[in-house]
Amino acid sequence: MASFSSLLLSISSVNPSPACSFPVHNHPRKLSCRASADDHASPGRRNLLIGLGGLYGATAGTNHSTNRDAAVAAPIQTPLPSQCGPADLPSGANPVNCCPPVSTSIDFKFPSSSTPLRVRRAAHLVDAEYLAKYTKAVHLMKDLPESDPRNFTQQANAHCAYCDGSYDQVGFPGVEIQVHNSWFFYPWHRFYLYFHERILGKLLGDESFALPFWNWDSPAGMQIPSFYTDTSSSLYDPRRDPSHQPPVIVDLDFSLNTSTDTGQALIDDNLKLMYRQMITNGSTTELFMGAKYSAGDQPDPGAGSVENVPHGTVHIWTGDPRQPNREDMGILYSSSRDPIFFAHHSNIDRLWDVWKTLGGNRKNYTDSDWLNASFYFYDENAKLVKVKVSDTLDARKLRYTYENVDNPWINAKPTRGGTGKAAELKIVSTFPVTLSKSNAVASVKRPARSGRSGNEEEVLLVQGIEFQRDSFTKFDVYVNASSEEALRPGVSERAGSFVHVPHLHGKGKGATGKTTLKLGITGLISEIGASEDDRLVVTLVPRSGKATVAGISIVLSS
């Protein structure tokens, strides 16, 4: 499969779109570890990757001297805790050391097949007996000595270290590791929850104990589960938005403002948004799981559909606006200090498994740079364990599963928000454009009909997005919206959203982040009756924060 970058380069060089393209030399190209893409890489950096091939080849269990792919493969490797550095914390945050205790490590081993299968239940369906266990387990975790890596605060710090710049990539000093906005989002968080859950079970003396999942994608679960609001409970966190307490319905499209919809209208919009993100906008591996991220690459190559929305929006919706940075859930360094974080991400993890049952091209990556990437976590025995992404592929081998629940969004297909060809929206003539208060509208050429076989996904690229890392940023993307009134949630014209949950790394406070948003639009084009159109009108609508966009294009992905 051709890479997005190579597709973009070929299209731009043959038939650029003046209104929506930007000079190719201004678009930073990632270094690929594959020889076919190394032609444009700097020789020094390519040699460094090849020099590290022995390490990575050994990690992959292959002979790099005879296997060419292994010799140049470059999966990201996490250094040991002894090489962990200070996290980049935002202004107003209390100083905290997010690095774990230093220890020697062991390699991960799957639990025995005779280990009880832990069943994660929907939070709104748990009974009193389960709730008593869960509350006790978190209480015991919080009571552990602060020096114990299983302590609740130490558990929260692990997320901080991996998302706020505490680790550099092995072999690339100064190039930090980030587990969000790339293909590591799902596997890293799966292991994070896995060890957290096993620690809780160990403290209870109950191997069958499992975390709950916050079932916010189903109407019955679309509010904060009530047991998290008991102020006497170990599951309570006072740093949550006081205006979003039960029975307030969660807004999966939240943008730091009060939704104009409530009740059934908001529920309907939530379900339509889930349809878009899981089905039409999650039609390929990269679109759902996020962009490739190999050794030497800068962080944030691009998030998958659900990581943007509703993952990011639920974080922000839950966080406390009275805190300097919407702590706890509203900013990544502190988000897992709130016990509800683990229920939120348990649902995200469940959706990864659900996504693979939807058919088509919905499969895990098979790239060795993904499978052989490694991270460190402390287990239930306070042992430091080295894990690989390849260990996350089968939840049952990890001895857990999810309670069967309905996924009503599967049938919640969005509906047209209007008719016409955006005649009332003014076309922007040049890029880059800054999104702050005004919409940006562009006419974008589709790939030539002669090049479409019907088996590819048309992908809308919003390229060269620059944003402030310490600020919540969100903008929505619409295709062929007929008027300002049509720019609302739940409509067929809504292609997706870019969402940045604040976190810092690199240059520290105020540093500018750069990324690309990729949206699958084949299903959308059919929904809005634009299959015969040679050009589409794309509208970018700023909702929170400010971002600069370098250009927009449409490419094909098989």
Side-chain angles (χ1 to χ4, degrees):
M1 181 178 122
S3 67
F4 276 105
S5 58
S6 61
L7 285 166
L8 175 59
L9 288 171
S10 62
I11 290 169
S12 298
S13 61
V14 174
N15 193 8
S17 174
C20 306
S21 297
F22 57 98
V24 171
H25 63 266
N26 287 338
H27 183 56
R29 291 179 290 184
K30 301 285 189 183
L31 175 66
S32 170
C33 64
R34 299 289 177 258
S36 61
D38 276 344
D39 293 339
H40 63 255
S42 67
R45 194 172 186 204
R46 184 167 65 251
N47 290 339
L48 175 57
L49 285 174
I50 293 172
L52 289 170
L55 168 64
Y56 298 136
T59 302
T62 57
N63 184 342
H64 70 275
S65 63
T66 59
N67 185 316
R68 187 169 181 269
D69 265 354
V72 296
I76 286 176
Q77 307 290 300
T78 299
L80 287 162
S82 59
Q83 296 168 292
C84 179
D88 290 321
L89 301 179
S91 176
N94 292 325
V96 60
N97 176 14
C98 291
C99 292
V102 175
S103 176
T104 56
S105 69
I106 59 175
D107 289 334
F108 175 74
K109 292 183 179 180
F110 287 105
S112 168
S113 59
S114 63
T115 302
L117 188 67
R118 304 184 304 280
V119 180
R120 295 180 181 174
R121 299 176 59 191
H124 67 282
L125 297 178
V126 301
D127 55 26
E129 180 182 3
Y130 169 85
L131 183 56
K133 283 186 177 182
Y134 185 28
T135 303
K136 179 181 178 181
V138 174
H139 177 78
L140 291 171
M141 181 180 276
K142 289 183 174 182
D143 275 356
L144 289 172
E146 291 183 7
S147 59
D148 191 320
R150 303 170 301 168
N151 170 275
F152 188 86
T153 299
Q154 290 279 12
Q155 290 284 295
N157 288 344
H159 191 262
C160 169
Y162 273 103
C163 67
D164 282 87
S166 290
Y167 291 109
D168 285 352
Q169 298 178 26
V170 172
F172 295 93
V175 182
E176 293 169 346
I177 296 172
Q178 173 57 253
V179 295
H180 298 84
N181 306 323
S182 78
W183 63 3
F184 290 141
F185 173 72
Y186 287 99
W188 187 91
H189 285 86
R190 172 163 286 187
F191 256 132
Y192 187 39
L193 267 63
Y194 169 82
F195 286 113
H196 187 83
E197 181 175 76
R198 285 181 65 93
I199 292 168
L200 293 173
K202 177 82 171 184
L203 294 172
L204 283 174
D206 181 359
E207 281 191 295
S208 68
F209 177 80
L211 289 165
F213 64 93
W214 182 5
N215 193 196
W216 34 250
D217 59 310
S218 184
M222 286 182 186
Q223 57 182 270
I224 291 177
S226 59
F227 59 77
Y228 286 103
T229 66
D230 180 354
T231 58
S232 65
S233 169
S234 63
L235 305 176
Y236 178 71
D237 186 346
R239 291 179 290 276
R240 297 187 192 129
D241 194 321
S243 67
H244 292 163
Q245 301 307 297
V248 176
I249 298 169
V250 64
D251 181 0
L252 299 185
D253 192 40
F254 186 62
S255 301
L256 286 187
N257 52 24
T258 302
S259 174
T260 56
D261 289 334
T262 58
Q264 190 60 47
L266 180 54
I267 291 172
D268 290 345
D269 278 346
N270 283 342
L271 294 175
K272 290 173 182 176
L273 181 146
M274 287 300 304
Y275 177 97
R276 177 66 76 223
Q277 299 301 84
M278 289 289 292
I279 297 180
T280 56
N281 200 20
S283 57
T284 71
T285 303
E286 182 176 19
L287 290 174
F288 179 78
M289 298 193 71
K292 179 174 180 175
Y293 179 32
S294 298
D297 288 350
Q298 293 296 323
D300 304 323
S305 56
V306 168
E307 184 182 357
N308 271 308
V309 177
H311 161 260
T313 45
V314 172
H315 265 283
I316 300 297
W317 184 87
T318 309
D320 188 350
R322 300 166 298 183
Q323 303 303 314
N325 303 287
R326 211 173 175 89
E327 287 92 346
D328 281 330
M329 277 280 283
I331 186 167
L332 293 186
Y333 89 89
S334 65
S335 58
S336 53
R337 296 177 183 176
D338 187 339
I340 205 172
F341 170 98
F342 298 94
H344 174 41
H345 271 273
S346 189
N347 199 38
I348 295 288
D349 184 74
R350 180 184 71 88
L351 291 173
W352 181 13
D353 283 347
V354 171
W355 171 77
K356 287 182 287 186
T357 70
L358 299 177
N361 293 322
R362 296 173 176 86
K363 300 176 182 178
N364 286 327
Y365 278 106
T366 58
D367 192 314
S368 61
D369 284 6
W370 186 68
L371 293 170
N372 293 320
S374 65
F375 307 102
Y376 287 100
F377 294 94
Y378 275 95
D379 70 5
E380 66 273 20
N381 299 311
K383 299 290 187 182
L384 185 66
V385 181
K386 181 179 181 180
V387 301
K388 293 195 299 184
V389 167
S390 59
D391 298 326
T392 67
L393 305 186
D394 185 348
R396 284 187 170 264
K397 287 185 70 175
L398 297 173
R399 304 305 298 154
Y400 77 90
T401 189
Y402 286 95
E403 176 182 30
N404 287 325
V405 295
D406 290 335
N407 297 301
W409 43 263
I410 287 179
N411 298 313
K413 191 173 183 178
T415 53
R416 293 288 300 275
T419 59
K421 301 243 180 168
E424 299 178 31
L425 302 177
K426 183 179 178 181
I427 304 297
V428 172
S429 59
T430 60
F431 280 83
V433 63
T434 298
L435 301 173
S436 179
K437 296 181 180 179
S438 300
N439 299 344
V441 187
S443 175
V444 187
K445 187 173 183 178
R446 294 174 65 191
R449 296 190 189 194
S450 60
R452 303 180 221 156
S453 69
N455 296 321
E456 307 96 342
E457 177 73 32
E458 286 192 61
V459 177
L460 177 64
L461 302 184
V462 184
Q463 301 148 315
I465 302 169
E466 296 191 11
F467 55 94
Q468 294 303 113
R469 294 192 185 279
D470 59 354
S471 299
F472 170 52
T473 305
K474 180 176 185 284
F475 64 81
D476 300 333
V477 183
Y478 292 81
V479 175
N480 281 15
S482 61
S483 66
E484 292 283 350
E485 288 71 29
L487 302 176
R488 58 179 313 280
V491 297
S492 294
E493 293 85 347
R494 174 75 169 271
S497 301
F498 169 77
V499 172
H500 171 69
V501 180
H503 60 274
L504 293 173
H505 53 82
K507 297 178 182 177
K509 181 180 180 296
T512 300
K514 295 183 180 181
T515 193
T516 297
L517 176 65
K518 301 175 182 179
L519 303 171
I521 58 172
T522 299
L524 178 153
I525 289 170
S526 177
E527 288 173 31
I528 64 176
S531 298
E532 300 304 312
D533 294 356
D534 292 326
R535 304 186 74 91
L536 300 175
V537 176
V538 178
T539 305
L540 307 180
V541 183
R543 301 296 190 186
S544 296
K546 181 172 71 173
T548 299
V549 172
I552 309 173
S553 63
I554 299 173
V555 300
L556 296 176
S557 172
S558 59

